[in-house]
Amino acid sequence: MMNFDIVIVGAGPAGLCFAQAVAGCGLRIAILERQSESMLADPAFDGREIALTHRSAHIIQALGMWQRIDTDAISLLRDAKVLNGPSLYAMHIEHDANKTASLGYLVANHLIRKAAYEAVKASADITLLTESAISAISTDNDGAYISLTDGSKLQAQLLVAADSRFSETRRAMGIPATMHDFGKTMMVCVMQHSIPHHHVAWEWFDYGQTLALLPMNGTQSSVVITLPAADIERLMALSETEFNQEVALRFKHRLGSMQLASTRHAYPLVTAYASQLVAKRFALIGDAAVGMHPVTAHGFNFGLFGINILAEEVKMAKSRGSNIAASALLERYQRKHRLKTRPLFLATHAIAKLYGNDTLPARLIRAASLRLGNRISPFKRAVAHMLTEANS
């Protein structure tokens, strides 16, 4: 039997960040991960670029991860604009609405994962158990118990699941989640383009498709195209020349000529919200707790928020010599995380439903809502604050 204070399931960014957040206060921490350590040490490019708020950047800095990312690989998100249909009219969200130099930053997911792994490996408090598969888990008043398929057994005071929005650990603990499959697939890749982006992010609800552009350094951008699965399969299968031509056409040549600068990756558009974020000696973090729709680019930011809240609660309990998995502690985490995430989770579903509807009445409402939002300064400041979290 291996004994730890905290066992974390999943060595993705959320699991690694939480481990690092609770390290250094005398706790023994283990991370269970199915992948090999070599894959964690040098994660492959997966197409995903993560938009980080200022608060998230500060958290990553405090965890010793920001410093491990090449500064040339960090792009500014200066402003953002929202477009509807074929119109050139856009709602503009400017960074200076909240007196900041930018709305946030853009960093590739695989670089965040690599930096998080390196930080965790430098910690003497954290044991990384790779190529580990769980056969059974349970918790009671005295602890959490984990059995692995190789016969190993672990015991901990607190079990934390960070194994994606499709979390098997969440299911094993009997916690349901409200999941919504939008019936669409997102294709992500990096494109080089001839017309500069000026570090402005786009969310373009075109008719029949949704396009997003996240500006990278130079004249490259991360491009996200959301379509029915069959259309994405066709896009993925196109030759590079055909693909370049079609993407430029889908963007109506507003970025000039476009050339593929990375591999292409596709992900189903599915959201998840766990019915409860905690149970006896158990907590959900990251996408296992809340798997956001990407329209607000807040998924990882919400994950970091929850990680920070839970880590502070655990460290405070440790410093007081009290139970790090007490029900009251876990309930405080759940309450704060829900208060932060639930309103925007519901709002993004409403936005996605409206802007995914191409009927004539919906088109008129879509266009009117953009113009109304552009004219209401307090609303735009609120959106800018949500995107930057500069003073949080």
Side-chain angles (χ1 to χ4, degrees):
M1 176 77 72
M2 292 182 281
N3 286 286
F4 297 94
D5 295 303
I6 301 174
V7 169
I8 302 164
V9 181
L16 293 171
C17 286
F18 180 69
Q20 185 69 359
V22 291
C25 67
L27 294 171
R28 298 161 299 162
I29 305 150
I31 306 175
L32 301 178
E33 172 56 43
R34 286 181 175 176
Q35 294 187 86
S36 67
E37 187 156 353
S38 61
M39 294 180 71
L40 296 179
D42 189 22
F45 172 78
D46 61 11
R48 290 177 286 192
E49 301 287 329
I50 307 300
L52 296 170
T53 65
H54 290 275
R55 173 166 57 186
S56 292
H58 290 321
I59 292 173
I60 291 176
Q61 287 170 357
L63 296 178
M65 298 173 185
W66 189 266
Q67 304 87 317
R68 299 174 185 272
I69 302 172
D70 188 337
T71 54
D72 290 338
I74 301 172
S75 309
L76 282 180
L77 289 177
R78 184 164 291 121
D79 300 313
K81 64 180 180 180
V82 183
L83 301 108
N84 175 57
S87 173
L88 290 172
Y89 182 84
M91 182 173 74
H92 292 273
I93 309 298
E94 294 88 4
H95 64 276
D96 55 6
N98 276 292
K99 299 180 174 61
T100 57
S102 67
L103 291 176
Y105 308 91
L106 188 70
V107 184
N109 183 59
H110 74 287
L111 296 181
I112 294 174
R113 293 183 63 184
K114 180 176 173 61
Y117 165 81
E118 291 173 352
V120 161
K121 286 296 290 183
S123 173
D125 298 337
I126 304 171
T127 301
L128 188 57
L129 301 173
T130 55
E131 300 180 70
S132 298
I134 296 173
S135 59
I137 60 171
S138 63
T139 65
D140 60 23
N141 291 332
D142 298 318
Y145 312 95
I146 306 98
S147 298
L148 305 183
T149 54
D150 66 1
S152 301
K153 295 184 182 300
L154 294 82
Q155 183 172 340
Q157 294 187 58
L158 176 65
L159 176 63
V160 176
D163 52 344
S164 87
R165 66 189 63 198
F166 305 104
S167 173
E168 294 180 15
T169 312
R170 181 183 66 214
R171 180 179 292 274
M173 287 294 293
I175 298 177
T178 299
M179 304 192 75
H180 184 80
D181 188 336
F182 285 83
K184 301 287 180 67
T185 299
M186 300 176 295
M187 190 218 65
V188 291
C189 63
V190 177
M191 300 293 292
Q192 183 88 27
H193 42 85
S194 57
I195 295 176
H197 49 53
H198 301 295
H199 287 276
V200 177
W202 299 14
E203 188 71 41
W204 186 356
F205 298 101
D206 198 7
Y207 298 150
Q209 64 177 0
T210 301
L211 305 171
L213 178 141
L214 295 170
M216 303 171 70
N217 290 330
T219 54
Q220 289 189 340
S221 294
S222 173
V223 165
V224 185
I225 300 175
T226 303
L227 291 165
D231 294 328
I232 292 295
E233 288 175 10
R234 186 186 64 80
L235 268 180
M236 296 282 286
L238 291 176
S239 69
E240 188 169 325
T241 299
E242 293 171 325
F243 181 80
N244 292 340
Q245 292 171 346
E246 177 152 339
V247 173
L249 181 61
R250 286 185 176 277
F251 275 87
K252 296 182 172 56
H253 301 286
R254 294 182 187 181
L255 292 161
S257 61
M258 302 180 74
Q259 288 82 40
L260 187 64
S262 74
T263 48
R264 289 168 266 186
H265 301 264
Y267 300 96
L269 183 52
V270 179
T271 62
Y273 204 105
S275 64
Q276 60 192 73
L277 308 185
V278 300
K280 187 174 293 183
R281 292 189 176 273
F282 178 75
L284 295 164
I285 62 172
D287 280 2
V290 181
M292 288 289 294
H293 190 290
V295 67
T296 62
H298 254 48
F300 187 56
N301 295 298
F302 278 160
L304 282 175
F305 172 83
I307 285 163
N308 197 49
I309 293 296
L310 183 57
E312 290 300 319
E313 289 282 355
V314 168
K315 289 187 290 186
M316 181 65 72
K318 172 63 177 175
S319 70
R320 293 173 174 173
S322 55
N323 183 2
I324 65 168
S327 296
L329 180 158
L330 296 176
E331 285 296 334
R332 285 194 298 273
Y333 158 69
Q334 175 171 255
R335 184 173 62 254
K336 292 175 183 177
H337 199 13
R338 278 182 169 168
L339 185 63
K340 178 73 172 180
T341 60
R342 191 65 180 172
L344 190 57
F345 183 85
L346 296 174
T348 55
H349 271 246
I351 292 169
K353 185 175 181 180
L354 173 62
Y355 282 90
N357 187 338
D358 288 336
T359 63
L360 180 58
R363 290 183 181 188
L364 294 174
I365 295 171
R366 286 163 56 166
S369 62
L370 279 193
R371 292 183 181 275
L372 183 63
N374 236 354
R375 293 172 182 170
I376 303 175
S377 295
F379 170 77
K380 292 179 67 175
R381 283 197 299 271
V383 173
H385 177 70
M386 179 196 73
L387 293 174
T388 62
E389 293 188 307
N391 301 314
S392 300

